[in-house]
Amino acid sequence: MKKGWWGVVLSLPFTAVAADVPAGAQLAANQDIVRHLKDEPVSLDPMKAQGLPEIQVIRDLFEGLTNQAADGTIVPGVAQSWQTQDNKIWRFTLRSDARWSDGMPLRARDFVYSWQRLVDPANASPLAWFAALSGIENAAAISKGQRAPDTLGIKALDDTHLQVTLERAVPWFPSLVANAALFPVPASEITRLGEHWTDPAKLVGNGAYTLQQRVINEKLVLQRNPQYWDNKQTVINQVTFLPINEESAATQRYRAGDIDITESFPKNMYAMLSKSLPGQVYTPAQLGTYYYAFNTQKGPTQDVRVRKALSWSIDRRVIAEKVLGTGEKPAWHFTPDVTAGFKPQPSWLEQHSQQELNAQAKALLTAAGYGPDHPLQLTLLYNTAENHQRIAIAVASMWKKNLGVQVKLQNQEWKTYLDSRNSGNFDVIRASWIGDYNEPSTFLNLLTSGNSSNIPRFNNAAYDAVLKQASLATSASARERDYNQAEQILGDEVPIAPLYQYTNARLIKPWVKGYPINNPEDVAYSRELWIEKH
C-alpha cells in the first residue's frame, strides 16, 4: 500500500509484456512469423468476436487496459497503473504515449465510447454480457434496454485517468479488462467508415500490429505498428495468420515449413509427431472445457431425463484417454481443475462406474418414453474439424450401443455453425469454453439465464441466485461453496455434458522463442515472440 493520487490505494509496480530476448541470443535476419488459426475470423471488431479465431488476431491489433504475462499474471497495457480502495471503484492511469495506429493520441474517453458501444443493445454485441459479468455499473440494465448507454459506470476524469464503478466488489477486475471485449476502438473511424472500418489498410487499432492484407479463408497479414507505445521492444515485424480448420492440413503445412505455430494437431498423430518432431510438440493443461450443449427449450432434450441419459452414457475416460490421448482429463464438472479458487466436490458421474451410469441412463430414457419400438432420434451438430468429428462419432456410437439412440451427425463450417448455435437450431451441439480470466465465474456465469453465450438456453432461477450470491461473497471459502452448489445444479439439470478438460496442444518451431506455453489461458501476443538464427 502507498499513497496514490487519490488517497491510500492499491498501486503495484509492474513489468510490461514484451519480447524478452536474452543477452547473447542470435536473432534471425527475417523476423516474420506465420501462425495458424482454426477458422476464418467472423469479424475483427472486438465487440463482435465470438471465439478464438477472432481473438487471436484482435490481441495483435488492439490492446486493453491490462495484458497477461507469460505465466498469466496481469501486467500493464494501455494503463500503466491502477488503484482502488474498495475493489468497487477502480481508477486507471493511462500511458501518455499510448497512440492509435494513425498517430492520434489514445485518451480515456476512447474507453468510455468503446465500453458504451459494447453494451448498447442497438449494436447486439455477442459479448455485451461480459461487461455485466465484470460487474460494471448498469451494464446489465443497459444491455436489456432498461437504461441509456451513457449511464454505464465508466468516466474519463481527464485524458489519462479513467474511473470505473462496479456494482459489487470484484478483486480480480484488472484481469477482466485484459479481455478483448473491453478493448478500445476508434470512434472517429467507426463513424467515418461504418462497417468498413475493419477493412485492410483502413483498420485503426492501438495494438502492436496493423492489418495490411486480408484474403478471406486464405490469410491475414499484419505489419508492425510504429505508433505502438512499446514498439521498440517488439521484434517480430510481420505476422501472417492462416485460417485452416483441418488439423491434418495445418500439421502438413507445418511439417512443410509453411507455418511456425499451429493452434492444434490431430490427436491420433501425437505419438508419431512426438517421435519425429522432438521438442516441437506441446500439450500443457489449459483453462478450458470441451462440452456438448443440449437444447433445453425445444425437441426431445427439453426433458431432463433425456439430457441425463445422454450425458451419463458418455464414457468420458474413453474420450480423454483413447479418442484423444494427449493428456486431457475427463470433465466431471464444467469448471476445470486448474481454475484458481476452485476445489471441486466429487460429482455423481465421478463416483459411479460407467456400467452403473449406463444402466441408470437406460432406465431414464425408458421412463421418458423411448425404447426399441420408439427410439430417440437426435441431430448432433459440430463445426468442421477432424477432432470434433472423431469425438462426435465416438459419442454417437456410445449412445447407439448403450441407449439405442439414432444419431444424425451434422457438420457445418464455422459461420454456419454459429448461425445454427445462435438461433437454437440444434438438438445437441459441440461447444467449448476457454476462460476469459482465471476464476470459476468465467465458466459458470455462461449458463446464467441472461447470458448471450448461454448456448443451451438454460434458465434456472436457483442457479442464477447462487451465482449472484457468489459474486457478493466476501470470502474465498464462501465463493467456493457457492460455485460447488452451482456445479451441483448443473449436474442435476444437465443443460450441458462436459466431456474433457483441455490441453493446449500445438506445434512450435524450435527457432520460435518467447511463446508463453504455460499460460493457462493460452494468451499469446505476437510482440512477445522472436525468431532465433537457424
Side-chain angles (χ1 to χ4, degrees):
M1 301 285 284
K2 67 176 185 179
K3 280 284 184 180
W5 65 279
W6 67 302
V8 180
V9 296
L10 175 67
S11 183
L12 303 176
F14 297 105
T15 301
V17 174
D20 187 17
V21 182
Q26 291 189 310
L27 297 179
N30 182 5
Q31 290 294 324
D32 297 349
I33 199 165
V34 181
R35 298 179 60 176
H36 165 222
L37 293 177
K38 289 184 178 179
D39 280 291
E40 174 68 30
V42 172
S43 174
L44 297 180
D45 185 335
M47 80 167 189
K48 295 182 179 179
Q50 297 198 43
L52 288 176
E54 295 82 39
I55 292 173
Q56 297 283 48
V57 183
I58 287 172
R59 286 192 186 118
D60 279 354
L61 297 173
F62 300 90
E63 180 176 66
L65 291 168
T66 62
N67 293 316
Q68 287 193 26
D71 62 357
T73 55
I74 294 301
V75 296
V78 176
Q80 64 183 18
S81 64
W82 45 92
Q83 307 160 329
T84 187
Q85 288 177 317
D86 57 5
N87 291 322
K88 287 187 68 177
I89 297 177
W90 291 84
R91 297 189 183 185
F92 295 85
T93 300
L94 277 55
R95 301 177 183 281
S96 59
D97 57 350
R99 295 217 174 327
W100 294 104
S101 56
D102 62 0
M104 295 297 292
L106 192 153
R107 298 296 185 233
R109 62 179 174 270
D110 293 318
F111 282 93
V112 175
Y113 165 80
S114 303
W115 292 13
Q116 289 178 355
R117 177 176 180 259
L118 171 72
V119 298
D120 188 340
N123 295 323
S125 169
L127 292 176
W129 61 270
F130 190 80
L133 178 149
S134 302
I136 303 172
E137 187 176 57
N138 294 329
I142 295 168
S143 63
K144 294 175 183 177
Q146 298 169 352
R147 300 201 65 163
D150 62 6
T151 64
L152 189 67
I154 181 172
K155 178 168 60 175
L157 302 177
D158 54 39
D159 283 349
T160 58
H161 292 103
L162 184 72
Q163 178 172 297
V164 182
T165 301
L166 308 182
E167 293 180 337
R168 61 184 183 276
V170 181
W172 55 88
F173 187 70
S175 70
L176 301 181
V177 296
N179 186 275
L182 300 179
F183 286 179
V185 293
S188 60
E189 296 305 298
I190 294 171
T191 300
R192 185 171 69 90
L193 298 172
E195 291 295 319
H196 293 286
W197 80 273
T198 57
D199 289 354
K202 294 181 181 178
L203 189 152
V204 171
N206 71 315
Y209 296 89
T210 61
L211 179 65
Q212 295 301 308
Q213 184 183 10
R214 183 179 184 182
V215 181
I216 300 297
N217 292 320
E218 184 178 327
K219 64 181 178 180
L220 299 95
V221 181
L222 279 58
Q223 294 284 347
R224 189 164 158 179
N225 173 18
Q227 299 292 340
Y228 180 59
W229 66 268
D230 202 25
N231 178 55
K232 65 181 180 180
Q233 298 298 324
T234 303
V235 176
I236 297 296
N237 294 317
Q238 178 174 292
V239 187
T240 300
F241 287 97
L242 302 183
I244 304 171
N245 57 34
E246 292 187 6
E247 293 172 329
S248 60
T251 301
Q252 184 177 4
R253 294 282 297 273
Y254 175 89
R255 299 181 76 189
D258 298 335
I259 293 174
D260 296 305
I261 304 170
T262 71
E263 282 292 285
S264 58
F265 56 80
K267 301 296 183 179
N268 61 356
M269 296 178 68
Y270 174 69
M272 182 274 288
L273 291 171
S274 296
K275 183 177 181 180
S276 62
L277 300 172
Q280 300 180 49
V281 181
Y282 296 87
T283 58
Q286 188 178 3
L287 190 70
T289 300
Y290 188 107
Y291 66 98
Y292 280 173
F294 301 114
N295 194 326
T296 63
Q297 299 300 310
K298 64 180 182 180
T301 52
Q302 287 184 92
D303 190 328
V304 67
R305 296 171 297 183
V306 172
R307 300 198 299 267
K308 284 184 176 180
L310 293 171
S311 177
W312 293 0
S313 60
I314 298 172
D315 192 331
R316 289 158 173 80
R317 292 182 180 88
V318 168
I319 297 295
E321 298 168 11
K322 304 297 183 183
V323 178
L324 300 172
T326 56
E328 293 82 1
K329 290 183 178 180
W332 308 116
H333 33 77
F334 190 28
T335 309
D337 293 344
V338 295
T339 309
F342 181 65
K343 184 178 180 181
Q345 296 174 353
S347 72
W348 163 267
L349 295 170
E350 195 175 0
Q351 297 178 75
H352 293 78
S353 70
Q354 192 58 49
Q355 185 177 6
E356 292 172 323
L357 292 172
N358 290 343
Q360 292 275 6
K362 190 170 184 179
L364 280 168
L365 203 61
T366 300
Y370 298 99
D373 298 329
H374 179 47
L376 174 63
Q377 298 182 8
L378 289 174
T379 297
L380 172 54
L381 174 62
Y382 59 94
N383 57 296
T384 303
E386 294 168 48
N387 188 46
H388 304 331
Q389 184 180 42
R390 292 175 64 238
I391 293 171
I393 290 172
V395 171
S397 175
M398 293 172 187
W399 286 344
K400 175 67 175 177
K401 177 182 177 181
N402 300 328
L403 303 174
V405 178
Q406 297 178 1
V407 183
K408 176 185 176 183
L409 299 181
Q410 187 175 10
N411 172 16
Q412 293 180 344
E413 296 297 326
W414 179 245
K415 289 184 179 180
T416 306
Y417 159 87
L418 285 177
D419 287 341
S420 297
R421 190 178 81 179
N422 295 338
S423 63
N425 186 23
F426 63 87
D427 293 324
V428 187
I429 187 170
R430 181 218 76 88
S432 61
W433 188 253
I434 306 297
D436 289 311
Y437 52 95
N438 197 351
E439 209 271 342
S441 59
T442 190
F443 290 90
L444 297 172
N445 279 333
L446 282 183
L447 296 172
T448 53
S449 57
N451 196 309
S452 59
S453 291
N454 182 344
I455 297 172
R457 310 294 205 277
F458 183 52
N459 191 338
N460 185 285
Y463 184 80
D464 293 347
V466 75
L467 283 177
K468 183 176 182 180
Q469 180 174 294
S471 73
L472 300 173
T474 56
S475 71
S477 59
R479 274 195 300 274
E480 184 173 82
R481 285 195 299 271
D482 292 335
Y483 290 144
N484 269 298
Q485 187 178 346
E487 287 282 4
Q488 182 60 55
I489 293 172
L490 294 184
D492 292 339
E493 297 298 325
V494 198
I496 63 171
L499 299 188
Y500 68 87
Q501 299 177 31
Y502 271 111
T503 54
N504 180 16
R506 67 177 65 250
L507 304 171
I508 303 176
K509 293 294 185 184
W511 50 80
V512 174
K513 303 299 180 181
Y515 195 94
I517 197 65
N518 291 316
N519 183 311
E521 297 176 62
D522 191 31
V523 173
Y525 310 98
S526 295
R527 65 176 180 272
E528 295 177 305
L529 311 177
W530 69 93
I531 300 174
E532 285 192 341
K533 188 175 180 180
H534 59 280

